[in-house]
Amino acid sequence: MPRSLPGIAQERLAEAERLSRSGQPISAITLAEQVRNEALAYGNQHVYALSTGQLSWYYFMTARYEQGAVHALEAIELWQVTGDAVREATCRCYYAWQLCQMGMPGAEQEAMQALRQAEKAGDPAALCLAQNTVAVVLWMYKQFELALDFSTQAVALARQVGDPVALGWWLINDGGIRGDHAAIKAAQGDRSDLASAIDHANRVTEEALALALAHQDHWGARICLGNLAEFALHVGDTDSAMAHMEHWQQLPGEVGDRDTTQYHRCNGMVLIAQGRIDEAIVALKTGVEHADQVNDLESGVPGCQALAEAYERKGDFRMALHWHREFHDHYVRYCTHTAQRSARVAATQYETEQLRNQSETARLQAQALEVSNLELTQETDRLKKANLEDPLTGLYNRRALEHALAEAQSAGSAYAIAILDVDHFKRINDRFSHLVGDEVLRQIAAILSGLIRKSELLARFGGEEFVLLMPDVGSADAVILCERLRSAVEAWSWVEQNTQLQVTISIGIASTDGTDEPTAILAAADALLYQAKANGRNRVEVSKPAEI
């Protein structure tokens, strides 16, 4: 891949964009990740930045907000370096949107900075996106009047820009703001303009639905139909609400995990409103079970709450109490998960800022002292190493793993991947303190490092997860090595940390002959890790050869 933007990469990213706009964001992610990995392997920073920014939006579309935020941050940094204010503003909008969805602070500052950059750059599409982003942030903060001001501007500008898919998206938000505002006022006892407000929200959303269907944007169409169903419930029109849910189910295209969970919850609420309580309970349970399977705590919380309401209406107060307790349990877990996610994103922000400061310091020192080219090269290498090293354990970090996987894919080499996770790590932190938890991670890193070969790469993947890349190793040999690693951790004496501390790990292994995408192998290993957890932890699970 040459240093300039190659035509083939541009075509593939354009195809990823087309997929995302035709209800296929999951396929868009797969294609954009391929381009990003190739750009990383060949050192093409421009293509890498383009694909990273696009991935941020596709992750948002599939409700993978943490990954979206991390990619947006990286893209912002890259566009700052190149001075591309329009693309920086666009990615800053994506970042603000992800922060907003995760309930993290800073969304309003990012959105306003994106708006200022877009206004200064004078790019209508970027300005339209920024106006809508500000509207969404204000909406999340329940500042409905201000949100509608910006939303109205965004819709008007979108009509001028002439992008019907984007216009549909901004109309969805405009209708959502209006409908949510009316519902909240009604819940507070002010129903004076409920019917007219919902009617306005319906008209706006129906226009968005028509645009989505005309351009095969099935992702946007599903959002429209879910919103229309909720609007119908606000005014007691259960037949229309059910018709919208039936239309939702008939749409083609890819359906993500969050979409599936929200469909079952919305369908359950419609069934409750129709008095079909037993059917509602089945739908709601299906949604909660799916949310639990994919670890979607955010969707599981309202699902449990709706089940408590359904059983209460049925008169089964014992089960209503059970699901109210489940609601509380899911809510506590969701809050913990949100805090942990915020910490991870904050750590990425800090790391990005530190690397930028280090690079700037190195540049200024070089300019002031007129250091030699050799010294500059050495400083650059040092920063590159810091960029590929996990500061807590001294292992390689996720970026280094991505480099290695991209090289393996480019070479078509066979390899095995193992994902190792510390069992009940949250309990260790809660019972013995986070300092002990950090020491456990450092010690496990040392144990594992001492048992692997030089040709193998061990990386900290994030949190309490590690990934071991084993080149030219088949499933059988990978199992032998991983059993040795698991046994070593189980047998380790932790008395220096705490006499009551016991630590084990679970491992999932997947392998490939070099023809599979790294993301697919990681996903397979991750699924087997969850299987190991489900089967009792402190064990190794491996895929059958035919599955890879």
Side-chain angles (χ1 to χ4, degrees):
M1 187 181 291
R3 294 290 170 177
S4 60
L5 177 61
I8 186 65
Q10 191 172 21
E11 290 173 6
R12 292 165 72 193
L13 289 177
E15 174 62 11
E17 181 72 4
R18 186 196 67 78
L19 289 168
S20 75
R21 287 168 162 254
S22 58
Q24 302 176 78
I26 299 171
S27 297
I29 288 174
T30 300
L31 184 55
E33 282 182 341
Q34 291 174 1
V35 176
R36 182 173 183 264
N37 288 337
E38 291 171 5
L40 181 65
Y42 286 92
N44 191 311
Q45 188 177 30
H46 186 75
V47 175
Y48 184 81
L50 284 172
S51 54
T52 300
Q54 285 187 210
L55 277 167
S56 174
W57 177 250
Y58 305 155
Y59 282 132
F60 170 81
M61 296 179 73
T62 53
R64 294 154 68 176
Y65 304 127
E66 183 178 339
Q67 287 171 276
V70 170
H71 279 69
L73 264 178
E74 188 172 7
I76 290 168
E77 287 292 313
L78 292 168
W79 295 128
Q80 281 181 330
V81 170
T82 61
D84 193 325
V86 172
R87 289 193 171 103
E88 181 189 340
T90 298
C91 292
R92 202 172 288 281
C93 287
Y94 298 163
Y95 184 50
W97 225 325
Q98 317 272 4
L99 291 178
C100 195
Q101 289 295 330
M102 292 188 292
M104 293 179 59
E108 65 279 11
Q109 290 94 334
E110 293 292 337
M112 292 305 299
Q113 185 170 345
L115 180 61
R116 288 191 292 268
Q117 287 179 321
E119 287 176 338
K120 185 176 180 179
D123 184 87
L127 179 57
C128 183
L129 170 63
Q131 289 171 337
N132 192 264
T133 303
V134 173
V136 168
V137 172
L138 291 168
W139 177 15
M140 294 299 105
Y141 289 148
K142 308 302 181 188
Q143 300 296 313
F144 295 106
E145 300 297 339
L146 285 172
L148 279 174
D149 286 343
F150 281 99
S151 177
T152 302
Q153 293 177 50
V155 169
L157 183 55
R159 295 189 190 281
Q160 298 175 25
V161 170
D163 182 346
V165 175
L167 172 59
W169 292 346
W170 308 156
L171 285 167
I172 289 172
N173 290 333
D174 191 74
I177 294 168
R178 296 176 189 279
D180 196 21
H181 190 197
I184 287 178
K185 287 174 64 178
Q188 295 171 346
D190 181 4
R191 302 178 64 88
S192 58
D193 61 348
L194 176 63
S196 62
I198 292 298
D199 182 62
H200 195 161
N202 270 322
R203 291 198 307 272
V204 170
T205 307
E206 284 168 356
E207 182 185 354
L209 177 60
L211 287 168
L213 293 175
H215 296 275
Q216 290 80 49
D217 175 21
H218 302 119
W219 176 76
R222 285 190 173 87
I223 298 175
C224 289
L225 290 167
N227 287 356
L228 286 169
E230 290 192 17
F231 298 160
L233 288 180
H234 291 328
V235 293
D237 186 356
T238 59
D239 290 340
S240 293
M242 181 55 70
H244 292 313
M245 297 313 299
E246 290 171 352
H247 189 179
W248 191 105
Q249 199 171 30
Q250 294 166 2
L251 286 176
E254 299 171 346
V255 181
D257 290 324
R258 176 65 61 85
D259 297 329
T260 299
T261 302
Q262 292 183 340
Y263 165 77
H264 288 300
R265 181 179 65 82
C266 191
N267 192 41
M269 297 305 296
V270 174
L271 290 167
I272 289 176
Q274 290 186 328
R276 298 156 63 182
I277 305 301
D278 288 335
E279 294 175 72
I281 287 172
V282 172
L284 292 168
K285 280 186 177 179
T286 302
V288 171
E289 288 169 2
H290 184 79
D292 287 344
Q293 287 172 3
V294 299
N295 200 31
D296 182 6
L297 297 173
E298 185 175 357
S299 297
V301 171
C304 292
Q305 188 177 26
L307 272 166
E309 178 187 343
Y311 275 110
E312 184 178 357
R313 291 200 181 192
K314 187 179 180 180
D316 189 341
F317 298 108
R318 183 182 65 83
M319 288 302 298
L321 177 60
H322 166 79
W323 283 105
H324 181 74
R325 288 171 174 166
E326 283 292 320
F327 160 71
H328 181 266
D329 178 63
H330 277 70
Y331 181 75
V332 170
R333 287 161 54 200
Y334 166 67
C335 291
T336 302
H337 174 72
T338 300
Q340 292 172 342
R341 184 167 60 182
S342 298
R344 289 193 295 269
V345 173
T348 302
Q349 290 174 315
Y350 176 77
E351 180 183 359
T352 302
E353 181 69 23
Q354 288 293 100
L355 288 171
R356 186 172 67 243
N357 290 341
Q358 289 174 3
S359 299
E360 180 65 11
T361 299
R363 187 189 67 80
L364 292 174
Q365 288 177 342
Q367 185 178 19
L369 301 174
E370 298 180 350
V371 296
S372 67
N373 287 335
L374 176 61
E375 289 172 325
L376 282 173
T377 300
Q378 291 172 339
E379 179 65 3
T380 301
D381 290 341
R382 184 187 70 79
L383 290 175
K384 285 182 178 178
K385 180 181 177 183
N387 195 35
L388 298 175
E389 185 176 286
D390 173 53
L392 177 66
T393 63
L395 299 177
Y396 287 113
N397 63 12
R398 189 170 189 149
R399 290 190 182 91
L401 176 66
E402 289 178 350
H403 275 286
L405 288 172
E407 290 176 356
Q409 183 186 23
S410 178
S413 304
Y415 60 86
I417 279 283
I419 300 183
L420 309 88
D421 186 89
V422 183
D423 295 328
H424 300 301
F425 187 69
K426 182 179 182 301
R427 294 183 188 175
I428 294 173
N429 281 333
D430 291 346
R431 183 178 178 188
F432 301 102
S433 82
H434 286 272
L435 292 176
V436 170
D438 287 349
E439 185 56 35
V440 166
L441 295 178
R442 279 191 288 265
Q443 188 59 59
I444 287 177
I447 296 170
L448 302 179
S449 297
L451 294 174
I452 64 174
R453 295 175 296 186
K454 291 183 178 180
S455 61
E456 293 159 347
L457 183 145
L458 179 64
R460 185 182 177 201
F461 201 55
E464 67 271 24
E465 280 191 352
F466 302 83
V467 173
L468 177 61
L469 172 61
M470 297 166 278
D472 299 315
V473 172
S475 295
D477 290 336
V479 170
I480 293 172
L481 172 58
C482 289
E483 279 289 353
R484 188 184 307 142
L485 301 178
R486 183 200 61 77
S487 298
V489 173
E490 181 183 24
W492 190 263
S493 173
W494 300 91
V495 292
E496 290 185 11
Q497 286 73 39
N498 192 289
T499 56
Q500 298 182 5
L501 178 61
Q502 292 182 327
V503 180
T504 60
I505 58 175
S506 298
I507 306 175
I509 305 171
S511 58
T512 177
D513 59 2
T515 60
D516 301 283
E517 292 294 328
T519 52
I521 302 306
L522 283 168
D526 191 56
L528 289 160
L529 170 62
Y530 276 97
Q531 185 176 324
K533 295 281 190 181
N535 289 338
R537 295 182 170 84
N538 190 24
R539 60 188 295 119
V540 176
E541 294 286 349
V542 63
S543 61
K544 298 177 182 178
E547 295 176 339
I548 299 298

